[in-house]
Amino acid sequence: MAPRFGVLGPLQITGHDGRWLRLRGERQRSLLAMLLFHANERVPTDRLVDALWPDVPPKSYASNLHTYVSRLRERLGDTPIDHAGPGYRLRVDDADLDLLTFRTAGESGRAALRDGDADTAARHLRLALDQWRDRPLADLALPALDAEVARLEIERLTVFEDWVEAELAVGRHAELLGELQSAVAEHPLRERLVGQLMRALRRSGRQADALAAYRTARTTLVEETGLEPGAELRAVHAEILRGDEAEPATDEWPIRQLPADNRVFTGRDGTVDELTALLTDPGGLPVVLTGEPGVGKSTLAVRVAHRLQTAFPDGQLYAHLAGATAPRPVGDVLADLLRSLGVTGPAIPDDVHAKAAVLRSRLADRRVLLVLDDAADPGQVRPLLPGTASTAVLVTSRRRLSGLLGAHRVTVGSLTEAEALDLLTAIAGTRVTADPHGARRIAAACGNLPLALRIAGTRLALRPQLRLATLADRLSDEQRRLDELAVSDLQVRAGLALSYAALTEPARTTFRLVGAAAVARVPSWAITVLQDGVAGDAAVDELVESSLLQPVADDACGEPRYEVHDLVLTFARERLLAEDGTAACDDATARLRSAILSVADRLGRHLPAVFPELPVDAVPVVPMPEESLARYAADPGSWFATEHSSLVAAIGGLVERGRYRHAARIFERVARYLWPQGAYTDLRTCASALADAARAAGDERVEVWAELVHARVLHVRGRYAAADAKYRWCADRLDGPALAWVLTHLADCLIGLGVPEEALALTDRAASLSTEDAVAATRSAALNRLGRPAESVRVDTGALAVARESDDPRAVADALQSLSWSLALTGELDRAAATAREAVALLRDTTARRALARSLRTLGAIQAGRGERASALAAFSECRAIAEEINEVPRALSSRRAIAASWVGDGRTDDAVVELRVCLAAYREMGSVSSVAITLRLLAAAYDAGGEPEKAEKARAEADRTADPRDSNAHALTALLMNLTRVPGPSLSAP
């Protein structure tokens, strides 16, 4: 049996044995109070933090809050406290919390009173009032709940008045007098209470006392507010003067017109909270819920309206405006609302403006929530707006209703994946959790759209034998998807068709053409290219107003972008094929593809080349908006960052259609962005597809070019032997600058394999075909491996002078990095550190992530030699993060090895041995002789520190056999990293 809680008075917890449970600490009690006041609802973490620490929260507030919740869970036992998104939810039955009992019993009482069952109403309402022991949370100072406590006390007073009404209806007027007189004394301005006291006194034969109560009330009202009593109280006074026994007509308030709340409702916590705040804001501005068809606007509106019942004690009015089908005349809607407010027959004017005036009069000073569902346009809404801020208005519409000035707009989007799976589970049951992969595929095919998910879930619920994987397979077929998303009268296609039918012809044409884009986020220039002059900006504005396009943030270059839901995109493509035909669809797709490739070709020229030029067919120039071109030309890297996925897909599409030479031209441009980013997977994918296509066509030039790209990717991923073979294959088929490029990188690969003599010879050959500067870094590395670092310094110094003249920060940084390491090998660590730091600083302002990783690794080694342990480890850690993200194995390994060396200095020898052995195995597989030797010497140091001299000697002996005695690079790096094994201090955890 769960504990029972009380907040309607001092905070109280009663265990299943009837004993009180006590919580220690004010914050623990405040946390429980916050959760109980919002029982069964998510309380955002921010609200809890503000409540527990109203001044300034501690830096560790997150962990402190988690600790308080954990302790509360332990103390409460069977009462669950769930982690709900960014917040917590305490689950409790209505019967186990006095606040919930109060509200449930109060609503039951009001329902019985409306049905004319006064006796039952009195019992329920008395039960509600009996939950109150004192002022809510009387023993807690909790400013975060002050406003809610105040509203709750008003709610209690309303329930008390309803109870009095029920008691009067069954004739128990004499028994009421004592409580009524006390209530009026406490709330002398509450006219309904005064009227009830007057009626109870009159029915008890005390007519004079009833009139005296009226005089007292009138005097108080006039003195304190300057107002005469209202019409209802004056009517009671008049009845008593006449001696009229007839009761006045039953007050129509509160009015409850909301449709039933959908019990299968998941997610939207943030939006519900936002709407709640907007609708209870004293400003009283209308709130417009907008979004594409099927996103769940009406369901959300009804959910929020039900939740706000207590905030609007006079009721909730609801009107369906049928804006998506046949918009209802405003006069008819006004007449219905007036009838629900008790205005009937001749009292309802004929004129629309007069009806609107009566509505405003009836709603004046009433706390009512008016829900206007499915509005067609602002003109249908304006006459329905109340004249005072006390009545809140919530409007749903597929259109944004931009003409409704001053309104708050909340756009409803699709559910998150987790919310979508929760909704499927709520409808279809445990089958969903039993096949999470199938469920995720269904949710993805539905685009997490609530209507589509409800249809899919209902189909599963109606057909227990239907496997989730089967339905997912059917939905994955784009041509069948909308057919599958239909059950009974629920149809995704039908909802979209209504919005489509309401568009003008230019907007319909533009909408259909967007279907050719086949991407969820479409840039403004792409829509212009697709339109091809058939429509303009007005058509796009209309699609935005109709929620078929959603404006999203501008891209990195400032180009406007629009989001299209997956199912909306499917419908648009369906209409394009049905109304315009396959040829028109193919033409629009080709037009868009050609445009993006044309832009890539033009912008790519402004980025530094990373692979040899490939003389192939030029890409045709496609006209596009000059404003967009200017934005992108100002920052080509940002454009490639935004579009690179589309470009990689477009390159693949060109190859599939046999246009591999155009694909090669674009790939060479795109690679200028991909290579510095370390996007090796995309590079390999495009290179492999190009090589296969060129080989099949007998085009050796393109095949060799694609294979040299593939070789470079193998190289940086540490697959030296495979890269060596592919470089040599390419070298046998090339000449001129392209051959020089291959020979230079083959030399670099051979350095890793421990063959520096051949590497140096290859750089001489490459320089004869190109320039000394192009091979400087590789020549420097080869000289270092041959024990000639002074020569390396001269080579690097010359290369740096040339790079500085180029004004290319990446070229300067590359030269600085190479020079810094050569200086380190000559023992000039101070100058080396300054040079390496300059390289890192230059690269931080570029997108060259792989070059940044390399410079960080060099800087870390130099700082280790200078005894700057913390700085060295920070550099190695950052290098490791970048290298692992782009899967550049050699640099990731070298950083892990350095960090493991630092653990030896910290006394964590066991951890260091394990990590160094992992690195050693990887280097052996890679074939990197120098790296194997360095790692063995570090491993020997770890064994020495751990008291295992025999293992240390064995590792050291193997290192001596493996190492090249001329390799000043390995000798210097070992010495620098050994410094980390000797100096204890701050270290890093395992990767």
Side-chain angles (χ1 to χ4, degrees), residues 686-773:
C686 292
S688 296
L690 271 175
D692 291 344
R695 191 178 302 116
D699 189 337
E700 186 176 82
R701 174 177 288 187
V702 174
E703 180 188 0
V704 172
W705 186 85
E707 290 291 13
L708 66 84
V709 175
H710 195 186
R712 190 75 179 103
V713 172
L714 290 170
H715 184 175
V716 297
R717 285 189 165 173
R719 297 179 59 187
Y720 292 154
D724 177 17
K726 202 168 282 290
Y727 278 137
R728 292 182 189 276
W729 183 88
C730 293
D732 290 342
R733 291 160 176 79
L734 290 171
D735 55 21
L739 175 59
W741 186 95
V742 171
L743 292 175
T744 301
H745 290 290
L746 172 58
D748 190 40
C749 185
L750 290 173
I751 291 170
L753 288 169
V755 192
E757 296 92 346
E758 184 181 359
L760 186 60
L762 286 174
T763 62
D764 290 336
R765 185 180 167 196
S768 69
L769 297 168
S770 179
T771 65
E772 289 287 339
D773 303 321

Side-chain angles (χ1 to χ4, degrees), residues 826-977:
T826 62
E828 296 186 65
L829 290 184
D830 291 344
R831 186 179 166 200
T835 306
R837 280 194 290 268
E838 185 183 353
V840 169
L842 279 173
L843 290 168
R844 289 201 186 281
D845 293 331
T846 73
T847 58
R849 294 163 70 242
R850 63 175 303 275
L852 175 60
R854 181 178 58 192
S855 294
L856 284 165
R857 181 189 61 178
T858 301
L859 177 60
I862 295 168
Q863 289 172 326
R866 286 161 53 86
E868 298 170 353
R869 178 188 180 85
S871 298
L873 292 178
F876 281 125
S877 177
E878 187 178 359
C879 173
R880 180 185 69 187
I882 297 172
E884 288 181 346
E885 183 180 348
I886 64 179
N887 195 21
E888 194 165 300
V889 177
R891 292 204 179 99
L893 279 174
S894 62
S895 298
R896 291 176 61 182
R897 180 178 62 190
I899 293 167
S902 75
W903 297 342
V904 178
D906 291 341
R908 297 169 55 193
T909 54
D910 289 344
D911 292 338
V913 166
V914 171
E915 182 72 352
L916 288 169
R917 288 179 68 87
V918 169
C919 293
L920 180 61
Y923 281 130
R924 282 175 170 156
E925 183 179 357
M926 193 184 297
S928 180
V929 177
S930 174
S931 297
V932 168
I934 295 168
T935 310
L936 282 167
R937 297 194 192 282
L938 293 172
L939 185 59
Y943 282 138
D944 280 336
E948 298 182 272
E950 292 181 0
K951 290 184 178 180
E953 187 57 34
K954 183 177 178 182
R956 205 169 282 115
E958 185 181 353
D960 291 340
R961 291 193 303 272
T962 304
D964 184 339
R966 301 168 300 175
D967 191 348
S968 57
N969 182 84
H971 177 76
L973 182 56
T974 302
L976 296 175
L977 295 181

Side-chain angles (χ1 to χ4, degrees), residues 774-798:
V775 300
T778 305
R779 186 191 294 279
S780 172
L783 289 168
N784 285 331
R785 296 299 174 96
L786 291 168
R788 298 156 61 181
E791 293 180 54
S792 295
V793 171
R794 286 195 294 274
V795 170
D796 290 327
T797 301

Side-chain angles (χ1 to χ4, degrees), residues 59-304:
K59 293 183 179 178
S60 58
Y61 70 85
S63 60
N64 289 0
L65 178 60
H66 180 73
T67 300
Y68 288 139
V69 172
S70 299
R71 290 175 179 170
L72 197 55
R73 284 176 177 141
E74 294 174 2
R75 195 77 176 97
L76 300 184
D78 295 334
T79 302
I81 301 177
D82 304 331
H83 187 273
Y88 294 91
R89 178 191 293 113
L90 184 147
R91 298 188 183 276
V92 61
D93 292 336
D94 289 0
D96 293 330
L97 174 60
D98 57 9
L99 176 57
L100 294 181
T101 303
F102 164 72
R103 285 177 169 158
T104 303
E107 182 54 35
S108 298
R110 292 191 192 97
L113 195 58
R114 289 194 298 270
D115 293 341
D117 188 353
D119 196 51
T120 299
R123 288 198 304 273
H124 283 300
L125 294 166
R126 185 70 258 176
L127 173 63
L129 294 170
D130 287 343
Q131 305 305 308
W132 286 71
R133 294 169 285 117
D134 197 346
R135 184 179 61 83
L137 302 177
D139 58 340
L140 264 181
L142 194 54
L145 288 177
D146 285 349
E148 293 183 61
V149 167
R151 286 196 296 268
L152 190 57
E153 290 183 320
I154 293 172
E155 186 179 347
R156 175 189 179 275
L157 190 55
T158 302
V159 170
F160 178 80
E161 292 170 341
D162 292 338
W163 171 72
V164 170
E165 201 70 33
E167 291 287 302
L168 287 173
V170 294
R172 288 193 281 266
H173 39 271
E175 295 89 338
L176 289 172
L177 286 175
E179 284 192 69
L180 265 175
Q181 287 169 330
S182 297
V184 169
E186 187 177 354
H187 305 283
L189 301 179
R190 193 83 175 182
E191 293 188 37
R192 186 184 181 195
L193 270 180
V194 174
Q196 289 173 329
L197 174 60
M198 292 169 62
R199 287 157 55 197
L201 287 168
R202 181 197 62 188
R203 292 182 185 181
S204 300
R206 299 169 58 181
Q207 184 169 341
D209 290 338
L211 294 173
Y214 176 81
R215 289 193 297 272
T216 300
R218 180 181 179 276
T219 300
T220 302
L221 281 165
V222 171
E223 288 178 352
E224 294 193 20
T225 70
L227 298 174
E228 288 289 336
E232 293 177 6
L233 187 56
R234 292 200 308 272
V236 175
H237 180 237
E239 290 164 11
I240 295 173
L241 289 173
R242 293 194 306 267
D244 189 353
E245 291 296 323
E247 288 291 312
T250 302
D251 195 347
E252 66 273 5
W253 309 98
I255 300 168
R256 310 292 186 198
Q257 290 189 326
L258 293 176
D261 191 10
N262 194 324
R263 300 298 179 187
V264 184
F265 186 96
T266 61
R268 308 288 195 203
D269 290 346
T271 309
V272 168
D273 290 343
E274 180 184 4
L275 291 171
T276 299
L278 289 172
L279 291 168
T280 54
D281 185 274
L285 295 176
V287 178
V288 178
L289 265 184
T290 184
E292 62 236 3
V295 82
K297 301 180 291 294
S298 297
T299 301
L300 176 59
V302 171
R303 164 57 60 105
V304 171

Side-chain angles (χ1 to χ4, degrees), residues 520-522 549-555 559-564:
R521 290 202 168 195
V522 188
L549 286 182
Q550 296 289 347
V552 291
D554 293 353
D555 64 25
E559 179 75 1
R561 286 193 168 248
Y562 300 93
E563 189 170 67
V564 194

